[in-house]
Amino acid sequence: MCGIIGFTGCGRAKDVLLSGLSALEYRGYDSAGISCFTGDGKITTIKSVGKVSKLKTQVPEEFSSTCGIGHTRWATHGGVSQANAHPHSCGRVTLIHNGIIENYLCLRDELSATGRTPVSGTDSEIAAMLIDSLYTGDARAAIAAAAARLEGAYAFCILFSDQPEKIYCIRKGSPLVACQTKMGSIIASDMVALLRYSKDYFVLEEDLIACLTHDEITVTTLDGRTVAPDYLTVTWDVSSAQKNGFNHYMEKEIHEQPDALLRTITPRLVKYVENGESYMLPDFTADGIPDSLFLGLSRIVITACGTAMHAGMMGKILFEELLHIPVTVDIASEFRYQNPILSEDTLVITVSQSGETADTLAALRLATESGARTLSIVNVKGSSIARESAHVFYTHAGPEIAVASTKAYTAQLAAFYMIAFRAAFAARRLSIGECAEYTKGLSLMIPALTKVLERGEEFAAISRHLIKATDLFFIGRGMDYALSCEGSIKLKEITYIHSEAYAAGELKHGTLSLIAPDVPVIALATQHNVLAKMVSNIKEVRARGAFVILVAAKDAGIEPELYDFCIELPETSDRFAPFTAAAVLQLIAYHTSFLRGLDVDQPRHLAKSVTVE
Ligand code: F6R
């Protein structure tokens, strides 16, 4: 949802801003622009529709500046056009914005009456007009006064033409992280843009104003009191945010899954000794998650968006089986509007890779206000959801750059498995031996997943049969249905092929009418308890001529007449098949997109981090 960056220091602003924008491009790529001080208080703006690579060709090599701001846009208010590209200027103010100003229409009418006429269709330009109208030489006072008028979400980096070499910043809802280096001060939407300069950074808290100069970053409250920021350190390095020889980030991130899962699982395995026997169990003491969080619960509510919600669907199956507590999974954007029943014996689990998804954050806030217990499964350290949740389980998947989520998803699954095992042990629904056995199964899944990743060519060959498809169906039961939902979103977001996930038994209640000769159906048959029923459902689509790609347990023994291709998964217990099957579906989506000649990492209209509601 737009990437923003600001730099002031002794280096070349152009280089820092453009390389930072490339790193942030996963957040939006409709248009890009920079504004820099270029001498005598002059601010030069260069912007264009299209990707950062296009902007780079328009910024002259000799462009000289040591202070500026840059933006890569995901369009919300106003279409994709040169006029709507950021930065926006009004009077002495030039700014970039990530977020949505909800009351921009009434502000626009009010400000137009003072003779300021917007030239774009954006809410961001109205914010520039507002700050300019309130500016009388004291930047902090103008920003604080504007913040009192603005409704919605924002992260701003602001230049005042009469304050050269300074950048002012404020945020509400949308993220901003900053670091101080020998070269100067840098602020951006995400740590990936800062990583090549520093591993130490701080999150700018909401309702604080940061002022960046060459030598320091001063943070103050809205009424001017200085605040010392809390610095954090990232544990990954710059190579984690690069392609490292892979063609695309998505391909690289798919292959990083075994390592990501090791990082999520291994540090949380702790040796317990009972009656002279040792057991390795999930233990969240180091995460500050007490067993009491899982005791005395009347229900669990899981809420998230997209892929993270699909991980939650798997969590529901695990919790209901192991804890015997009712679990609901809610789309975060619907959650607040359906009067959820929340009390202190409800555990609300929010799931988010970025930790910044606006709807998930809003759901968490509602849960907190309602007195429910809160636990978040989050990848990005220090993100808003992590900071506002009473308890956090970090997935440690490392930076995920491709818009399509892969390693973050399987790390979220691993988190749910570990939490379900530990909670069932804490609630005495699993003995120590059972809990250790289940946990061992989770660790053993990692080598099985590695084997699947070595079979990329096999999946690429199958993908060749999908490139001409216009519609495609995923079917499965139980865990396979939850995974079908994930397979479907992965395929459609990067291949633009329309696809739907169906609980296999539900097809005959309407959707079977869409199955025609050669329509591809990806059928998941990894769960032995529903295998016979699943076979009947595959027969139903096969009888209508579907082109069937079967993803099945090794010993499923499904008759060859029922499929065109069969992908046999390595042996794991059924419970852990979603990990290996997820990798198969990710690779099929990846190869299909690649073979269709599409932009795998940056599919049209999408953005990685959805910080608007
Ligand atoms: C799909 C995808 C999205 C995200 C969703 C939530 O591949 O990545 O569906 O899962 O936008 O994002 P986070 O997890 O950052 O809250």
Side-chain angles (χ1 to χ4, degrees), residues 145-166:
R149 300 288 321 277
L150 293 170
E151 288 166 20
Y154 50 80
F156 292 118
C157 292
I158 311 159
L159 306 179
F160 291 87
S161 58
D162 57 346
Q163 300 204 36
E165 304 302 304
K166 283 187 184 163

Side-chain angles (χ1 to χ4, degrees), residues 335 339-346 348 363-374:
F335 184 67
N339 305 313
I341 303 155
L342 302 170
S343 57
E344 56 198 29
D345 56 4
T346 310
V348 176
L364 169 64
R365 286 180 175 160
L366 176 66
T368 307
E369 276 161 28
S370 313
R373 307 178 198 182
T374 58

Side-chain angles (χ1 to χ4, degrees), residues 88-154:
H88 290 285
S89 298
C90 180
R92 283 175 290 176
V93 171
T94 296
L95 61 69
I96 47 178
H97 171 218
N98 169 29
I100 286 192
I101 306 301
E102 286 166 0
N103 58 337
Y104 90 107
L105 274 178
C106 77
L107 289 171
R108 188 187 65 186
D109 293 345
E110 189 185 305
L111 291 158
S112 300
T114 66
R116 292 175 174 84
T117 313
V119 292
S120 76
T122 66
D123 52 342
S124 313
E125 189 188 3
I126 305 301
M129 288 164 59
L130 177 67
I131 297 171
D132 181 60
S133 75
L134 297 164
Y135 183 53
T136 53
D138 182 342
R140 282 197 179 85
I143 293 168
R149 300 288 321 277
L150 293 170
E151 288 166 20
Y154 50 80

Side-chain angles (χ1 to χ4, degrees), residues 232-268:
L232 301 166
T233 303
V234 282
T235 46
W236 29 276
D237 60 21
V238 76
S239 69
S240 324
Q242 290 171 344
K243 287 188 197 153
N244 293 350
F246 285 94
N247 287 320
H248 301 93
Y249 283 111
M250 182 179 178
E251 187 187 20
K252 174 190 164 231
E253 288 159 7
I254 290 172
H255 284 86
E256 282 175 344
Q257 290 179 108
D259 285 343
L261 288 165
L262 273 177
R263 284 197 301 273
T264 302
I265 298 168
T266 318
R268 294 175 167 115

Side-chain angles (χ1 to χ4, degrees), residues 304-386:
C305 299
T307 286
M309 192 199 65
H310 298 152
M313 290 169 70
M314 212 67 83
K316 171 183 161 77
I317 295 172
L318 292 164
F319 286 136
E320 290 190 335
E321 180 204 343
L322 297 172
L323 272 180
H324 295 252
I325 291 178
V327 182
T328 51
V329 182
D330 285 304
I331 298 171
S333 55
E334 292 292 313
F335 184 67
R336 275 171 303 151
Y337 308 108
Q338 58 197 20
N339 305 313
I341 303 155
L342 302 170
S343 57
E344 56 198 29
D345 56 4
T346 310
L347 174 62
V348 176
I349 305 183
T350 43
V351 192
S352 178
Q353 186 285 128
S354 62
E356 299 294 347
T357 300
D359 286 313
T360 311
L361 180 60
L364 169 64
R365 286 180 175 160
L366 176 66
T368 307
E369 276 161 28
S370 313
R373 307 178 198 182
T374 58
L375 168 65
S376 293
I377 298 173
V378 175
N379 194 37
V380 177
K381 208 169 152 187
S383 54
S384 301
I385 292 174

Side-chain angles (χ1 to χ4, degrees), residues 304-310 351-358 360 377 385 400 402-406 408 412 486 489-490 493-494 606-610:
C305 299
T307 286
M309 192 199 65
H310 298 152
V351 192
S352 178
Q353 186 285 128
S354 62
E356 299 294 347
T357 300
T360 311
I377 298 173
I385 292 174
E400 194 179 63
V403 164
S405 184
T406 53
Q412 287 158 356
E486 176 53 17
I489 194 176
K490 212 87 314 168
E493 71 181 317
I494 59 169
L606 296 176
K608 179 84 185 150
S609 178
V610 185

